[in-house]
Amino acid sequence: QVQLVESGGGLVQAGGSLRLSCVVSGSIFSINVMGWYRQAPGKQRELVARISSGGSTNYGDSVKGRFTISRDNAKNTVYLQMNTLKSEATAVYYCSATVTLRPDSYESRYWGQGTQVTVSS
C-alpha cells in the first residue's frame, strides 16, 4: 500500500509564503516523478510543479519565479515552497508520485488526499 501524506497548507495573506510537504510511504522500489497539482473550485486540476528523480523541474506558467519544488530522495519527500502568494493560488493542492513497486513492475501514479491553501486578499 502506497500512501502520500501532504502537510503545510493553511490560510495566508496575499504576498505571504507557505511550504508544502508530501511524504511517500509503503513498499516501494523507486519513485520517479513527484509533483504538485492544484484544483480550485469549479476548475480543472492543473500542474503546479513536478520534479524528476534526477532533479529536473517543470512549473506551471502562473507560478514560475515564485514557487520552488524540491525533493529529498532519502526521505521520499517532495516540497513546494510558495512565495509571493496571490489570491488565485487558493485551491486544494495534491501531491503526486510515479512509483515502481518492484524492479520488474510498471510505474503507477499515486495521489495524496490534498491540502487546502487559502490566500486572503
Side-chain angles (χ1 to χ4, degrees), residues 65-95:
R66 297 184 297 112
F67 290 14
T68 302
I69 190 170
S70 60
R71 64 190 282 174
D72 185 334
N73 292 329
K75 296 181 178 180
N76 288 350
T77 301
V78 62
Y79 305 97
L80 184 68
Q81 178 66 43
M82 305 186 291
N83 298 329
T84 319
L85 281 160
K86 303 177 182 179
S87 58
E88 50 263 42
T90 296
V92 177
Y93 284 69
Y94 296 92
C95 175

PDB file of all heavy atoms in Angstrom, residues 65-95:
ATOM      1  N   GLY A  65       8.932  31.421 -11.108  1.00  0.00           N
ATOM      2  CA  GLY A  65       9.621  32.519 -10.444  1.00  0.00           C
ATOM      3  C   GLY A  65       9.182  32.765  -9.019  1.00  0.00           C
ATOM      4  O   GLY A  65       9.839  33.499  -8.282  1.00  0.00           O
ATOM      5  N   ARG A  66       8.067  32.164  -8.616  1.00  0.00           N
ATOM      6  CA  ARG A  66       7.570  32.378  -7.250  1.00  0.00           C
ATOM      7  C   ARG A  66       7.517  31.080  -6.437  1.00  0.00           C
ATOM      8  O   ARG A  66       7.647  31.111  -5.219  1.00  0.00           O
ATOM      9  CB  ARG A  66       6.176  33.008  -7.297  1.00  0.00           C
ATOM     10  CG  ARG A  66       6.158  34.391  -7.929  1.00  0.00           C
ATOM     11  CD  ARG A  66       4.768  35.022  -7.853  1.00  0.00           C
ATOM     12  NE  ARG A  66       3.779  34.251  -8.605  1.00  0.00           N
ATOM     13  CZ  ARG A  66       2.784  33.586  -8.037  1.00  0.00           C
ATOM     14  NH1 ARG A  66       2.635  33.606  -6.714  1.00  0.00           N
ATOM     15  NH2 ARG A  66       1.918  32.930  -8.781  1.00  0.00           N
ATOM     16  N   PHE A  67       7.317  29.960  -7.094  1.00  0.00           N
ATOM     17  CA  PHE A  67       7.254  28.661  -6.418  1.00  0.00           C
ATOM     18  C   PHE A  67       8.517  27.866  -6.751  1.00  0.00           C
ATOM     19  O   PHE A  67       9.051  27.960  -7.860  1.00  0.00           O
ATOM     20  CB  PHE A  67       6.046  27.856  -6.882  1.00  0.00           C
ATOM     21  CG  PHE A  67       4.711  28.388  -6.425  1.00  0.00           C
ATOM     22  CD1 PHE A  67       4.573  29.660  -5.885  1.00  0.00           C
ATOM     23  CD2 PHE A  67       3.577  27.599  -6.542  1.00  0.00           C
ATOM     24  CE1 PHE A  67       3.338  30.135  -5.470  1.00  0.00           C
ATOM     25  CE2 PHE A  67       2.332  28.058  -6.131  1.00  0.00           C
ATOM     26  CZ  PHE A  67       2.218  29.328  -5.613  1.00  0.00           C
ATOM     27  N   THR A  68       8.948  27.063  -5.785  1.00  0.00           N
ATOM     28  CA  THR A  68      10.104  26.196  -5.993  1.00  0.00           C
ATOM     29  C   THR A  68       9.795  24.796  -5.488  1.00  0.00           C
ATOM     30  O   THR A  68       9.389  24.629  -4.329  1.00  0.00           O
ATOM     31  CB  THR A  68      11.342  26.733  -5.256  1.00  0.00           C
ATOM     32  OG1 THR A  68      11.633  28.068  -5.702  1.00  0.00           O
ATOM     33  CG2 THR A  68      12.562  25.853  -5.532  1.00  0.00           C
ATOM     34  N   ILE A  69       9.996  23.816  -6.346  1.00  0.00           N
ATOM     35  CA  ILE A  69       9.805  22.424  -5.942  1.00  0.00           C
ATOM     36  C   ILE A  69      11.168  21.801  -5.683  1.00  0.00           C
ATOM     37  O   ILE A  69      12.157  22.105  -6.368  1.00  0.00           O
ATOM     38  CB  ILE A  69       9.032  21.627  -7.028  1.00  0.00           C
ATOM     39  CG1 ILE A  69       8.634  20.250  -6.498  1.00  0.00           C
ATOM     40  CG2 ILE A  69       9.826  21.526  -8.326  1.00  0.00           C
ATOM     41  CD1 ILE A  69       7.655  19.512  -7.419  1.00  0.00           C
ATOM     42  N   SER A  70      11.221  20.953  -4.665  1.00  0.00           N
ATOM     43  CA  SER A  70      12.450  20.236  -4.353  1.00  0.00           C
ATOM     44  C   SER A  70      12.074  18.887  -3.760  1.00  0.00           C
ATOM     45  O   SER A  70      10.912  18.653  -3.419  1.00  0.00           O
ATOM     46  CB  SER A  70      13.319  21.034  -3.376  1.00  0.00           C
ATOM     47  OG  SER A  70      12.626  21.256  -2.156  1.00  0.00           O
ATOM     48  N   ARG A  71      13.046  18.006  -3.652  1.00  0.00           N
ATOM     49  CA  ARG A  71      12.768  16.685  -3.092  1.00  0.00           C
ATOM     50  C   ARG A  71      13.977  16.182  -2.328  1.00  0.00           C
ATOM     51  O   ARG A  71      15.120  16.547  -2.617  1.00  0.00           O
ATOM     52  CB  ARG A  71      12.370  15.693  -4.189  1.00  0.00           C
ATOM     53  CG  ARG A  71      13.438  15.387  -5.197  1.00  0.00           C
ATOM     54  CD  ARG A  71      12.864  14.592  -6.383  1.00  0.00           C
ATOM     55  NE  ARG A  71      12.665  13.180  -6.067  1.00  0.00           N
ATOM     56  CZ  ARG A  71      12.073  12.318  -6.884  1.00  0.00           C
ATOM     57  NH1 ARG A  71      11.582  12.735  -8.055  1.00  0.00           N
ATOM     58  NH2 ARG A  71      11.939  11.037  -6.545  1.00  0.00           N
ATOM     59  N   ASP A  72      13.678  15.335  -1.352  1.00  0.00           N
ATOM     60  CA  ASP A  72      14.704  14.645  -0.571  1.00  0.00           C
ATOM     61  C   ASP A  72      14.493  13.161  -0.829  1.00  0.00           C
ATOM     62  O   ASP A  72      13.572  12.554  -0.252  1.00  0.00           O
ATOM     63  CB  ASP A  72      14.564  14.996   0.905  1.00  0.00           C
ATOM     64  CG  ASP A  72      15.675  14.401   1.758  1.00  0.00           C
ATOM     65  OD1 ASP A  72      16.254  13.372   1.366  1.00  0.00           O
ATOM     66  OD2 ASP A  72      15.946  14.966   2.830  1.00  0.00           O
ATOM     67  N   ASN A  73      15.293  12.590  -1.699  1.00  0.00           N
ATOM     68  CA  ASN A  73      15.094  11.195  -2.077  1.00  0.00           C
ATOM     69  C   ASN A  73      15.306  10.238  -0.901  1.00  0.00           C
ATOM     70  O   ASN A  73      14.671   9.187  -0.833  1.00  0.00           O
ATOM     71  CB  ASN A  73      16.023  10.824  -3.230  1.00  0.00           C
ATOM     72  CG  ASN A  73      15.654  11.525  -4.525  1.00  0.00           C
ATOM     73  OD1 ASN A  73      14.481  11.816  -4.771  1.00  0.00           O
ATOM     74  ND2 ASN A  73      16.643  11.817  -5.345  1.00  0.00           N
ATOM     75  N   ALA A  74      16.163  10.591   0.010  1.00  0.00           N
ATOM     76  CA  ALA A  74      16.407   9.730   1.165  1.00  0.00           C
ATOM     77  C   ALA A  74      15.182   9.657   2.068  1.00  0.00           C
ATOM     78  O   ALA A  74      14.987   8.666   2.785  1.00  0.00           O
ATOM     79  CB  ALA A  74      17.608  10.242   1.950  1.00  0.00           C
ATOM     80  N   LYS A  75      14.365  10.705   2.039  1.00  0.00           N
ATOM     81  CA  LYS A  75      13.172  10.757   2.895  1.00  0.00           C
ATOM     82  C   LYS A  75      11.885  10.527   2.104  1.00  0.00           C
ATOM     83  O   LYS A  75      10.789  10.628   2.672  1.00  0.00           O
ATOM     84  CB  LYS A  75      13.093  12.118   3.594  1.00  0.00           C
ATOM     85  CG  LYS A  75      14.247  12.376   4.558  1.00  0.00           C
ATOM     86  CD  LYS A  75      14.082  13.732   5.238  1.00  0.00           C
ATOM     87  CE  LYS A  75      15.211  13.978   6.228  1.00  0.00           C
ATOM     88  NZ  LYS A  75      15.086  15.300   6.902  1.00  0.00           N
ATOM     89  N   ASN A  76      12.006  10.252   0.794  1.00  0.00           N
ATOM     90  CA  ASN A  76      10.812  10.072  -0.053  1.00  0.00           C
ATOM     91  C   ASN A  76       9.848  11.245   0.107  1.00  0.00           C
ATOM     92  O   ASN A  76       8.629  11.059   0.205  1.00  0.00           O
ATOM     93  CB  ASN A  76      10.097   8.760   0.274  1.00  0.00           C
ATOM     94  CG  ASN A  76      10.860   7.541  -0.200  1.00  0.00           C
ATOM     95  OD1 ASN A  76      11.848   7.658  -0.938  1.00  0.00           O
ATOM     96  ND2 ASN A  76      10.423   6.377   0.233  1.00  0.00           N
ATOM     97  N   THR A  77      10.399  12.432   0.122  1.00  0.00           N
ATOM     98  CA  THR A  77       9.614  13.629   0.401  1.00  0.00           C
ATOM     99  C   THR A  77       9.820  14.667  -0.697  1.00  0.00           C
ATOM    100  O   THR A  77      10.936  14.858  -1.174  1.00  0.00           O
ATOM    101  CB  THR A  77      10.010  14.226   1.757  1.00  0.00           C
ATOM    102  OG1 THR A  77       9.784  13.249   2.779  1.00  0.00           O
ATOM    103  CG2 THR A  77       9.190  15.463   2.067  1.00  0.00           C
ATOM    104  N   VAL A  78       8.716  15.310  -1.054  1.00  0.00           N
ATOM    105  CA  VAL A  78       8.757  16.411  -2.003  1.00  0.00           C
ATOM    106  C   VAL A  78       8.209  17.653  -1.319  1.00  0.00           C
ATOM    107  O   VAL A  78       7.292  17.558  -0.483  1.00  0.00           O
ATOM    108  CB  VAL A  78       7.969  16.075  -3.289  1.00  0.00           C
ATOM    109  CG1 VAL A  78       6.502  15.839  -3.011  1.00  0.00           C
ATOM    110  CG2 VAL A  78       8.166  17.161  -4.351  1.00  0.00           C
ATOM    111  N   TYR A  79       8.795  18.791  -1.652  1.00  0.00           N
ATOM    112  CA  TYR A  79       8.413  20.056  -1.035  1.00  0.00           C
ATOM    113  C   TYR A  79       7.964  21.049  -2.112  1.00  0.00           C
ATOM    114  O   TYR A  79       8.393  20.972  -3.263  1.00  0.00           O
ATOM    115  CB  TYR A  79       9.597  20.662  -0.276  1.00  0.00           C
ATOM    116  CG  TYR A  79      10.219  19.757   0.741  1.00  0.00           C
ATOM    117  CD1 TYR A  79      11.354  19.003   0.435  1.00  0.00           C
ATOM    118  CD2 TYR A  79       9.676  19.631   2.021  1.00  0.00           C
ATOM    119  CE1 TYR A  79      11.935  18.164   1.367  1.00  0.00           C
ATOM    120  CE2 TYR A  79      10.247  18.791   2.956  1.00  0.00           C
ATOM    121  CZ  TYR A  79      11.376  18.060   2.629  1.00  0.00           C
ATOM    122  OH  TYR A  79      11.941  17.227   3.557  1.00  0.00           O
ATOM    123  N   LEU A  80       7.145  21.982  -1.700  1.00  0.00           N
ATOM    124  CA  LEU A  80       6.773  23.089  -2.580  1.00  0.00           C
ATOM    125  C   LEU A  80       6.850  24.367  -1.758  1.00  0.00           C
ATOM    126  O   LEU A  80       6.041  24.568  -0.852  1.00  0.00           O
ATOM    127  CB  LEU A  80       5.372  22.903  -3.151  1.00  0.00           C
ATOM    128  CG  LEU A  80       4.946  23.971  -4.151  1.00  0.00           C
ATOM    129  CD1 LEU A  80       5.776  23.856  -5.440  1.00  0.00           C
ATOM    130  CD2 LEU A  80       3.460  23.877  -4.473  1.00  0.00           C
ATOM    131  N   GLN A  81       7.828  25.191  -2.058  1.00  0.00           N
ATOM    132  CA  GLN A  81       7.944  26.484  -1.419  1.00  0.00           C
ATOM    133  C   GLN A  81       7.188  27.494  -2.264  1.00  0.00           C
ATOM    134  O   GLN A  81       7.505  27.684  -3.438  1.00  0.00           O
ATOM    135  CB  GLN A  81       9.422  26.894  -1.302  1.00  0.00           C
ATOM    136  CG  GLN A  81       9.641  28.257  -0.695  1.00  0.00           C
ATOM    137  CD  GLN A  81       9.215  28.330   0.759  1.00  0.00           C
ATOM    138  OE1 GLN A  81       9.487  27.417   1.539  1.00  0.00           O
ATOM    139  NE2 GLN A  81       8.541  29.409   1.138  1.00  0.00           N
ATOM    140  N   MET A  82       6.206  28.120  -1.659  1.00  0.00           N
ATOM    141  CA  MET A  82       5.351  29.064  -2.374  1.00  0.00           C
ATOM    142  C   MET A  82       5.557  30.458  -1.796  1.00  0.00           C
ATOM    143  O   MET A  82       5.272  30.684  -0.620  1.00  0.00           O
ATOM    144  CB  MET A  82       3.887  28.647  -2.252  1.00  0.00           C
ATOM    145  CG  MET A  82       3.622  27.226  -2.713  1.00  0.00           C
ATOM    146  SD  MET A  82       1.868  26.810  -2.711  1.00  0.00           S
ATOM    147  CE  MET A  82       1.526  26.786  -0.953  1.00  0.00           C
ATOM    148  N   ASN A  83       6.069  31.349  -2.608  1.00  0.00           N
ATOM    149  CA  ASN A  83       6.319  32.726  -2.194  1.00  0.00           C
ATOM    150  C   ASN A  83       5.438  33.691  -2.973  1.00  0.00           C
ATOM    151  O   ASN A  83       4.931  33.360  -4.041  1.00  0.00           O
ATOM    152  CB  ASN A  83       7.787  33.078  -2.413  1.00  0.00           C
ATOM    153  CG  ASN A  83       8.731  32.235  -1.588  1.00  0.00           C
ATOM    154  OD1 ASN A  83       8.400  31.802  -0.483  1.00  0.00           O
ATOM    155  ND2 ASN A  83       9.917  31.989  -2.122  1.00  0.00           N
ATOM    156  N   THR A  84       5.303  34.880  -2.406  1.00  0.00           N
ATOM    157  CA  THR A  84       4.511  35.938  -3.044  1.00  0.00           C
ATOM    158  C   THR A  84       3.167  35.390  -3.505  1.00  0.00           C
ATOM    159  O   THR A  84       2.762  35.511  -4.669  1.00  0.00           O
ATOM    160  CB  THR A  84       5.276  36.552  -4.233  1.00  0.00           C
ATOM    161  OG1 THR A  84       6.659  36.719  -3.902  1.00  0.00           O
ATOM    162  CG2 THR A  84       4.695  37.913  -4.594  1.00  0.00           C
ATOM    163  N   LEU A  85       2.467  34.787  -2.578  1.00  0.00           N
ATOM    164  CA  LEU A  85       1.203  34.139  -2.917  1.00  0.00           C
ATOM    165  C   LEU A  85       0.141  35.155  -3.315  1.00  0.00           C
ATOM    166  O   LEU A  85       0.043  36.245  -2.733  1.00  0.00           O
ATOM    167  CB  LEU A  85       0.719  33.293  -1.754  1.00  0.00           C
ATOM    168  CG  LEU A  85       1.426  31.938  -1.622  1.00  0.00           C
ATOM    169  CD1 LEU A  85       1.259  31.370  -0.222  1.00  0.00           C
ATOM    170  CD2 LEU A  85       0.892  30.975  -2.661  1.00  0.00           C
ATOM    171  N   LYS A  86      -0.661  34.759  -4.293  1.00  0.00           N
ATOM    172  CA  LYS A  86      -1.760  35.582  -4.771  1.00  0.00           C
ATOM    173  C   LYS A  86      -3.080  34.878  -4.460  1.00  0.00           C
ATOM    174  O   LYS A  86      -3.120  33.665  -4.268  1.00  0.00           O
ATOM    175  CB  LYS A  86      -1.635  35.799  -6.279  1.00  0.00           C
ATOM    176  CG  LYS A  86      -0.318  36.424  -6.720  1.00  0.00           C
ATOM    177  CD  LYS A  86      -0.241  36.531  -8.230  1.00  0.00           C
ATOM    178  CE  LYS A  86       1.081  37.113  -8.688  1.00  0.00           C
ATOM    179  NZ  LYS A  86       1.168  37.203 -10.168  1.00  0.00           N
ATOM    180  N   SER A  87      -4.162  35.642  -4.465  1.00  0.00           N
ATOM    181  CA  SER A  87      -5.459  35.055  -4.109  1.00  0.00           C
ATOM    182  C   SER A  87      -5.853  33.931  -5.077  1.00  0.00           C
ATOM    183  O   SER A  87      -6.523  32.977  -4.680  1.00  0.00           O
ATOM    184  CB  SER A  87      -6.539  36.137  -4.082  1.00  0.00           C
ATOM    185  OG  SER A  87      -6.621  36.794  -5.341  1.00  0.00           O
ATOM    186  N   GLU A  88      -5.399  34.036  -6.318  1.00  0.00           N
ATOM    187  CA  GLU A  88      -5.745  32.986  -7.287  1.00  0.00           C
ATOM    188  C   GLU A  88      -5.024  31.670  -7.033  1.00  0.00           C
ATOM    189  O   GLU A  88      -5.298  30.678  -7.715  1.00  0.00           O
ATOM    190  CB  GLU A  88      -5.476  33.451  -8.726  1.00  0.00           C
ATOM    191  CG  GLU A  88      -4.101  34.046  -8.946  1.00  0.00           C
ATOM    192  CD  GLU A  88      -4.128  35.572  -8.886  1.00  0.00           C
ATOM    193  OE1 GLU A  88      -4.814  36.128  -7.991  1.00  0.00           O
ATOM    194  OE2 GLU A  88      -3.442  36.196  -9.726  1.00  0.00           O
ATOM    195  N   ALA A  89      -4.143  31.639  -6.067  1.00  0.00           N
ATOM    196  CA  ALA A  89      -3.489  30.388  -5.673  1.00  0.00           C
ATOM    197  C   ALA A  89      -4.365  29.567  -4.728  1.00  0.00           C
ATOM    198  O   ALA A  89      -4.016  28.434  -4.400  1.00  0.00           O
ATOM    199  CB  ALA A  89      -2.157  30.678  -5.004  1.00  0.00           C
ATOM    200  N   THR A  90      -5.474  30.132  -4.300  1.00  0.00           N
ATOM    201  CA  THR A  90      -6.386  29.410  -3.412  1.00  0.00           C
ATOM    202  C   THR A  90      -6.913  28.168  -4.112  1.00  0.00           C
ATOM    203  O   THR A  90      -7.501  28.244  -5.194  1.00  0.00           O
ATOM    204  CB  THR A  90      -7.555  30.311  -2.987  1.00  0.00           C
ATOM    205  OG1 THR A  90      -7.041  31.396  -2.212  1.00  0.00           O
ATOM    206  CG2 THR A  90      -8.571  29.526  -2.180  1.00  0.00           C
ATOM    207  N   ALA A  91      -6.668  27.016  -3.503  1.00  0.00           N
ATOM    208  CA  ALA A  91      -7.034  25.736  -4.116  1.00  0.00           C
ATOM    209  C   ALA A  91      -6.692  24.616  -3.156  1.00  0.00           C
ATOM    210  O   ALA A  91      -6.025  24.830  -2.142  1.00  0.00           O
ATOM    211  CB  ALA A  91      -6.283  25.545  -5.438  1.00  0.00           C
ATOM    212  N   VAL A  92      -7.129  23.420  -3.514  1.00  0.00           N
ATOM    213  CA  VAL A  92      -6.640  22.220  -2.842  1.00  0.00           C
ATOM    214  C   VAL A  92      -5.410  21.756  -3.621  1.00  0.00           C
ATOM    215  O   VAL A  92      -5.462  21.602  -4.843  1.00  0.00           O
ATOM    216  CB  VAL A  92      -7.699  21.110  -2.803  1.00  0.00           C
ATOM    217  CG1 VAL A  92      -7.123  19.854  -2.158  1.00  0.00           C
ATOM    218  CG2 VAL A  92      -8.932  21.583  -2.050  1.00  0.00           C
ATOM    219  N   TYR A  93      -4.327  21.544  -2.906  1.00  0.00           N
ATOM    220  CA  TYR A  93      -3.077  21.133  -3.519  1.00  0.00           C
ATOM    221  C   TYR A  93      -2.866  19.637  -3.293  1.00  0.00           C
ATOM    222  O   TYR A  93      -2.932  19.165  -2.157  1.00  0.00           O
ATOM    223  CB  TYR A  93      -1.918  21.928  -2.929  1.00  0.00           C
ATOM    224  CG  TYR A  93      -1.855  23.335  -3.473  1.00  0.00           C
ATOM    225  CD1 TYR A  93      -2.831  24.280  -3.150  1.00  0.00           C
ATOM    226  CD2 TYR A  93      -0.843  23.729  -4.348  1.00  0.00           C
ATOM    227  CE1 TYR A  93      -2.802  25.560  -3.665  1.00  0.00           C
ATOM    228  CE2 TYR A  93      -0.796  25.006  -4.873  1.00  0.00           C
ATOM    229  CZ  TYR A  93      -1.783  25.916  -4.522  1.00  0.00           C
ATOM    230  OH  TYR A  93      -1.743  27.188  -5.039  1.00  0.00           O
ATOM    231  N   TYR A  94      -2.618  18.940  -4.374  1.00  0.00           N
ATOM    232  CA  TYR A  94      -2.453  17.495  -4.330  1.00  0.00           C
ATOM    233  C   TYR A  94      -1.021  17.116  -4.681  1.00  0.00           C
ATOM    234  O   TYR A  94      -0.447  17.623  -5.648  1.00  0.00           O
ATOM    235  CB  TYR A  94      -3.381  16.818  -5.330  1.00  0.00           C
ATOM    236  CG  TYR A  94      -4.849  17.006  -5.039  1.00  0.00           C
ATOM    237  CD1 TYR A  94      -5.566  18.056  -5.595  1.00  0.00           C
ATOM    238  CD2 TYR A  94      -5.523  16.113  -4.202  1.00  0.00           C
ATOM    239  CE1 TYR A  94      -6.904  18.231  -5.326  1.00  0.00           C
ATOM    240  CE2 TYR A  94      -6.876  16.282  -3.937  1.00  0.00           C
ATOM    241  CZ  TYR A  94      -7.561  17.337  -4.505  1.00  0.00           C
ATOM    242  OH  TYR A  94      -8.899  17.499  -4.237  1.00  0.00           O
ATOM    243  N   CYS A  95      -0.500  16.202  -3.917  1.00  0.00           N
ATOM    244  CA  CYS A  95       0.802  15.625  -4.200  1.00  0.00           C
ATOM    245  C   CYS A  95       0.614  14.406  -5.098  1.00  0.00           C
ATOM    246  O   CYS A  95      -0.360  13.647  -4.947  1.00  0.00           O
ATOM    247  CB  CYS A  95       1.455  15.219  -2.877  1.00  0.00           C
ATOM    248  SG  CYS A  95       3.021  14.361  -3.035  1.00  0.00           S
TER     249      CYS A  95
END
